Structures are given as C-alpha cells and as structure tokens.
Amino acid sequence: MLPLETAREFVLDRCQARKSVRVRVADALGLVTASEIIASQNIPQFPNTAMDGFAVRSADVADAPCELRVVETIAAGHAPQVTVGPGEASRIMTGATIPPGADAVVMVERTAIVSDSAADGEIVRVEVSVPPDNHVRPVGDDLHAGDNVFPAGTELAAGHLGVLCSLGMTEVEVYPRPRVGVLSTGDELVDDGSPLQPGQIRDSNRRTLLALAHRADVETVDLGLARDDPAEIEAALAIGVQTCDAIVTSGGVSMGDFDYVKAVLDRIGDMRWMQVAIKPAKPLAFGTVGDVPVFGLPGNPVSSMVSFELFARPGLRSMMGHPQPIRPTVVAFAAEDLLRRPDGKTHFMRVLATPLGGRTEVRSAGGQGSHMLWAMAKSNALAVIPDGDGVRAGDKLDVLLLD
Ligand code: AMP
Ligand code: MG
C-alpha cells in the first residue's frame, strides 16, 4: 500500500496549472490570479466624508457651540461648486467630496438648523468642536497607487472582486476554470427515475461528485452513465477527453470481474493503479488520457466522496493554480471514543465537528461503512485516525473540515 502523501504527490505532479487567461471580473469568482495586481490609482481618489453632516473649517468651530452660514449642499457623486470661507459650512452627504476651504466634517446629529430666511440663507448651529480631518476619508486611505494589492496565487473571493472593480478593472489575469466531466459506471445503476428491477440501485455518485466539483469552483460536465461494457465506457471517456480538461469516474476500478473502467483506461491512457493506505477509498486509478487527468474513483458512495476530497479536489485546485491545493487539517478533541483496529491504514472517519468552549470537538456522524452515505452526508469533517486502536474521548486528533 502507498502512503497517502506519496499517492497525492503523484497526482499533483500531473495536475499542473494551465496557461493563464484574461477573464471578465464578473466571471472570476473562485479563480486564482496568475500575476500580481498593482493599484493603478489611489482609493479613495478624492477626499470625502464618512458621515452625513456639515463640512466646516475646524478653526471656526473650536469654540462651539457656534453658528455658520450654509453655502452649499453637496450630494455624493456631485462636485462641490463653492469654497467654504470663514464662518461658513456646506451640507454634505456620505461619500461626497470635501469642498475646498473645509477641513473637517461635523455629523448632522451634532447640528441644528436655526434659521432659514430669504435674507440670510440657512444658518446651522454646530454643537461640538471637531479636530481637523474629523470624519474625512483622505486620498489613498484604503489603497495607494502602486501598492501591491494581491499577489499572484490569490483566490478571488467576493471582496477581492470588489477591490478590482474599485480600481476600474474589468478583466483579470487568472488560471482558467477547468471543465471537469463526471461519469458513473455500473450495470446496476438507474438514473432516469424508472422503477428499479431486482438488483438495481439509483446512481447517487454522479450528483454528489458533480456537486463536490462545483464546490471546488470548477466547471462541471455531466458525462452520464456507462454500463459495465468496455465499448460504452470507452465511448463515454472519449467524449470526456474531447470536451473536458479533467475526468472523474466512479466505479469499475476494483478487483471485480466486470470492472472494465480499469481495462479501458489501461488501453487508452497512461494509468497508475494505486492501493492507498487509507480507509475508506483504498483503490485509486489515476493517470492521463492524452493530457487530460483522469481520476478513477472507487464506486462505494462514501469512498468516492473521500477519494474526491483527498485526491481529485487537490488535483483540480492545483490545475486552477492554487498554491495550497490541499485542505489543511485542524486540531480537534474527541468528544467520545473513536475506535478502530490496526490495519496499516489511516482512517478518515465521518464526524461532526462542533466549536465548544474555544475548541473543536468531534463525534462520530454515524455508521462508518463505505456504503453508508447518510452518515457522510450528515458529517462536516473527516477525522484523521492514524493506524492503531483509535482515539479516546478527550484525546487530540487532526480533522479535515469539509465545506
Ligand atoms: P464498484 O467500484 O464498481 O465495484 O462499486 C462498488 C460499490 O459501489 C457497489 O456496491 C456499487 O453498486 C456502488 N456504486 C458504484 N457506482 C455507484 C453510483 N454511481 N451510485 C451509487 N452506488 C454506486
Ligand atoms: Mg461497478
């Protein structure tokens, strides 16, 4: 059996980042930058107010309360037209430009309009003195032109996209989102809602693996269902290789008489058949057909999910240019015994991780059989249980937090 790390290195070596492309910022959520982003301008570009209120000369209000003549009302998005002179103020709305002459803002809650006559205009009473720059957002407060905003290798999340828009960028240099085809294999599988004949089951892996791939931020392609028939499997894989950047199959890679995925991939691809020292998901077929990485995951529903987590997700994220494609483990505590028997493998138990009193506690999510998808569905983490007898309540352990 191969150690997990060795098997995963083999996979990652063959899942290099693709050539970078320019995409619209609107399409870049979840993608990874291929070059550093340098600020082309200051943000904010002009000094503006953080509050609704009155732009004043701070020296004028040093002895507040005092009264000032209102010379203008400045809305966000409109340039001030009037200089604020001694004894004057401009009414100003959040985000609007500080007018020339003014150096501070008094929030509207600290003011009152005391008269509004045709002769004198509006008079505002300022209740408090404020220092220079009060509630003023200066030029470059957030970003300075020339700042290194995000290094290459940054995964673009919601806030990153907003920053790119603030800088006026409409496109960004990223690694492309791979198209990932997902194929189910097995004579027993039914996916069209028709009544089950004896021995048949519903195809659950395809929906699950498509969803996991979607959550990994790749583009997904449903390659359907192939019977345990070499010609059918080869035809489905051929479509996959033509239309996708990577393929994920489930089933047909074990030692059974009808595990033809193995035979077909051996013929058309450069495959490596691995027995990985983990439970579940010991068998893994991985290789390339042409330059398309193919992940031949085991058919058992839990195994296929765990194998996706441990191999396919890191591989796909590596193709997307993620500098750290492997999920980090976090330290948690067992809230109950998580027992196992020694068998030379690392076990990935399906657990529920809960924050409790400043630490993370885990307990079993239910049945641990590789066919018991219900417990996997209810889990939010995989507990990493090293070879041995397991861990006892109160022991520390590593867990992989899932989405
Ligand atoms: P295999 O790896 O093809 O030997 O399949 C192992 C187990 O997983 C068998 O019990 C299969 O019926 C089951 N299985 C394989 N593919 C799927 C699937 N797409 N959905 C649900 N169960 C599956
Ligand atoms: Mg099968």
Side-chain angles (χ1 to χ4, degrees):
M1 285 189 296
L2 279 179
L4 169 63
E5 290 70 27
T6 311
R8 192 152 52 195
E9 253 168 54
F10 182 87
V11 169
L12 290 179
D13 279 349
R14 285 155 187 78
C15 292
Q16 302 293 331
R18 299 304 201 239
K19 201 171 137 18
S20 65
V21 292
R22 289 189 76 75
V23 303
R24 299 188 319 150
V25 168
D27 298 327
L29 182 63
L31 297 180
V32 176
T33 55
S35 53
E36 62 187 12
I37 309 284
I38 305 292
S40 56
Q41 60 188 56
N42 294 311
I43 307 284
Q45 268 197 302
F46 51 88
N48 66 90
T49 173
M51 290 284 173
D52 297 321
F54 288 85
V56 301
R57 303 162 70 99
S58 55
D60 279 0
V61 299
D63 299 323
C66 61
E67 294 188 354
L68 302 171
R69 203 163 62 81
V70 180
V71 293
E72 190 185 12
T73 293
I74 311 163
H78 298 269
Q81 304 296 321
V82 182
T83 297
V84 176
E88 295 177 344
S90 284
R91 182 183 283 107
I92 193 166
M93 309 302 151
T94 302
T97 309
I98 304 292
D103 67 350
V105 171
V106 181
M107 67 199 290
V108 69
E109 292 87 340
R110 299 281 176 273
T111 66
I113 296 296
V114 288
S115 80
D116 186 3
S117 71
D120 301 336
E122 248 186 318
I123 303 295
V124 63
R125 179 183 163 87
V126 173
E127 310 287 359
V128 292
S129 69
V130 294
D133 301 328
N134 193 57
H135 297 319
V136 174
R137 302 163 172 166
V139 169
D141 203 21
D142 192 10
L143 277 174
H144 282 104
D147 277 353
N148 186 336
V149 185
F150 304 127
T154 300
E155 176 177 354
L156 294 171
H160 298 91
L161 299 187
V163 170
L164 301 186
C165 289
S166 311
L167 289 168
M169 295 174 63
T170 52
E171 291 190 338
V172 59
E173 183 85 13
V174 293
Y175 296 103
R177 206 182 291 279
R179 281 167 63 83
V180 179
V182 177
L183 175 70
S184 285
T185 70
D187 272 356
E188 72 277 36
L189 302 177
V190 172
D191 72 342
D192 61 0
S194 56
L196 297 180
Q197 302 304 316
Q200 290 186 325
I201 61 169
R202 309 276 174 203
D203 175 4
S204 63
N205 288 355
R206 190 147 40 101
R207 183 53 46 213
T208 297
L209 293 172
L210 283 165
L212 287 175
H214 177 75
R215 279 277 193 267
D217 286 323
V218 302
E219 194 181 325
T220 58
V221 178
D222 186 346
L223 294 176
L225 174 56
R227 309 273 129 213
D228 287 321
D229 168 67
E232 207 171 303
I233 292 167
E234 184 165 349
L237 287 171
I239 292 172
V241 170
Q242 281 160 25
T243 56
C244 300
D245 303 305
I247 298 176
V248 175
T249 68
S250 71
V253 297
S254 314
M255 310 304 256
D257 286 356
F258 307 101
D259 286 338
Y260 292 126
V261 175
K262 202 168 175 165
V264 171
L265 282 173
D266 261 337
R267 189 148 39 77
I268 66 172
D270 176 14
M271 299 301 293
R272 173 88 173 262
W273 303 92
M274 297 182 247
Q275 300 292 319
V276 190
I278 56 173
K279 184 179 178 179
K282 182 171 79 157
L284 173 69
F286 176 78
T288 47
V289 178
D291 64 350
V292 176
V294 179
F295 298 86
L297 309 185
N300 274 308
V302 175
S303 308
S304 71
M305 284 187 81
V306 170
S307 195
F308 186 95
E309 270 303 328
L310 298 180
F311 300 107
R313 185 178 189 278
L316 298 176
R317 292 183 69 84
S318 171
M319 289 174 73
M320 293 176 79
H322 279 276
Q324 308 287 345
I326 300 171
R327 273 192 211 279
T329 54
V330 301
V331 176
F333 291 84
E336 61 188 20
D337 292 351
L338 298 171
L339 301 181
R340 48 158 295 178
R341 290 185 198 293
D343 58 5
K345 301 178 202 164
T346 302
H347 288 200
F348 288 87
M349 276 191 197
R350 279 69 74 200
V351 294
L352 252 180
T354 331
L356 204 77
R359 60 187 211 171
T360 302
E361 296 212 324
V362 301
R363 49 185 79 241
S364 170
Q368 297 290 322
S370 61
H371 58 298
M372 299 167 108
L373 189 54
W374 187 31
M376 175 87 199
K378 289 185 293 180
S379 71
N380 61 0
L382 296 173
V384 186
I385 315 285
D387 193 22
D389 297 311
V391 300
R392 295 279 172 189
D395 285 353
K396 263 193 201 172
L397 74 164
D398 285 340
V399 298
L400 269 176
L401 299 177
L402 304 174
D403 283 335

